[in-house]
């Protein structure tokens, strides 16, 4: 940071990227950077096909440190769905009834959220689906998780003729990603 941030040039920032286990490690590295150094510039994570990382407390620490995470998931890839339970982080679920099909009752969520099995969604999630691509012919578990599949899906999303582009633009507010990364 002394070498590259002291010359009065463009503001220094860190971008950490990874795929699969590397995506989980990128998230942990971002936390490590923010918690180890004083006056850290912005830290951004690009996570491709990574497993879940961290509980609610971990998510809050990342948010307080200003870490921005884009978690790119292929909904056909089971690696992005493990490990543990996801505790719904919506703030407006105050009753004990299920609001959506497949959602756990509030009493289950309260018991799970502070256990080692309770995971919270960290960062913003961009959900893509390899089954929607006419160019991916193999539909097996390995193909759904390959980095080349993820890059193909992101490339298709970012193309000017992609119908998913408008949907993706709605997913992220203007001050988070749009226009600052150059994808959208």
């Amino acid at each position: 940071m002394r070498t590259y941030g002291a010359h009065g040039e463009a503001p220094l920032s860190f971008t950490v990227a990874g795929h699969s286990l590397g995506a989980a490690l990128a998230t942990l590295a971002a936390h490590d950077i923010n918690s180890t150094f004083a006056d850290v510039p912005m830290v951004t994570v690009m996570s491709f096909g990574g497993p879940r990382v961290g509980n609610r407390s971990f998510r809050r620490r990342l948010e307080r440190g200003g870490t921005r995470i884009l978690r790119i998931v292929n909904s056909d890839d089971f690696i992005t769905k493990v490990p543990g339970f996801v505790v719904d982080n919506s703030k407006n679920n105050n009753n004990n009834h299920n609001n959506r099909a497949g959602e756990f009752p509030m009493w289950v969520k309260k018991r799970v959220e502070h256990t080692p099995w309770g995971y919270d969604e960290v960062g913003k999630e961009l959900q893509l689906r390899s089954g929607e691509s006419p160019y991916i012919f193999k539909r097996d578990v390995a193909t759904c998780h390959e980095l080349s599949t993820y890059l193909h899906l992101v490339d298709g999303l970012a193309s000017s003729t992609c119908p998913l582009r408008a949907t993706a633009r709605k997913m992220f507010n203007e001050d988070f990603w749009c226009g600052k990364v150059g994808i959208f």
Side-chain angles (χ1 to χ4, degrees):
M1 289 189 310
R2 277 187 230 122
T3 302
Y4 295 104
H7 300 293
E9 297 169 9
L12 185 67
S13 66
F14 293 105
T15 301
V16 188
H19 170 255
S20 195
L21 177 59
L25 293 173
T27 303
L28 295 173
H31 175 266
D32 195 36
I33 291 167
N34 270 327
S35 61
T36 303
F37 301 103
D39 300 320
V40 176
M42 184 166 75
V43 180
T44 305
V45 175
M46 300 288 285
S47 165
F48 294 89
R52 296 178 180 136
V53 178
N55 59 13
R56 181 172 290 162
S57 174
F58 181 74
R59 176 180 54 87
R60 287 181 183 146
R61 276 185 275 163
L62 283 171
E63 289 171 352
R64 274 195 306 269
T67 302
R68 297 184 179 211
I69 299 173
L70 178 59
R71 186 170 184 259
I72 301 168
V73 300
N74 177 356
S75 59
D76 297 328
D77 181 3
F78 79 92
I79 297 296
T80 62
K81 298 169 179 58
V82 297
F85 296 99
V86 170
V87 178
D88 183 29
N89 59 12
S90 65
K91 312 299 189 266
N92 52 2
N93 187 3
N94 296 326
N95 59 24
N96 290 327
H97 306 290
N98 290 351
N99 291 337
R100 293 175 285 198
E103 186 175 297
F104 290 110
M106 186 55 74
W107 69 269
V108 173
K109 290 179 188 180
K110 287 187 183 296
R111 295 211 179 196
V112 170
E113 71 182 332
H114 297 293
T115 68
W117 306 289
Y119 285 78
D120 207 7
E121 298 296 348
V122 175
K124 296 277 187 176
E125 187 172 280
L126 174 60
Q127 209 170 73
L128 304 171
R129 188 167 179 273
S130 56
E132 293 177 357
S133 173
Y135 303 106
I136 299 176
F137 302 108
K138 289 177 70 177
R139 307 281 183 196
D140 58 21
V141 173
T143 303
C144 289
H145 186 64
E146 289 175 353
L147 180 58
S148 59
T149 299
Y150 276 87
L151 295 176
H152 165 75
L153 292 172
V154 169
D155 182 49
L157 175 72
S159 71
S160 60
T161 59
C162 179
L164 296 176
R165 190 171 189 205
T167 303
R169 194 180 290 271
K170 290 177 195 173
M171 290 176 62
F172 303 106
N173 59 32
E174 290 298 321
D175 61 4
F176 188 80
W177 290 102
C178 296
K180 301 213 184 215
V181 175
I183 292 176
F184 303 112

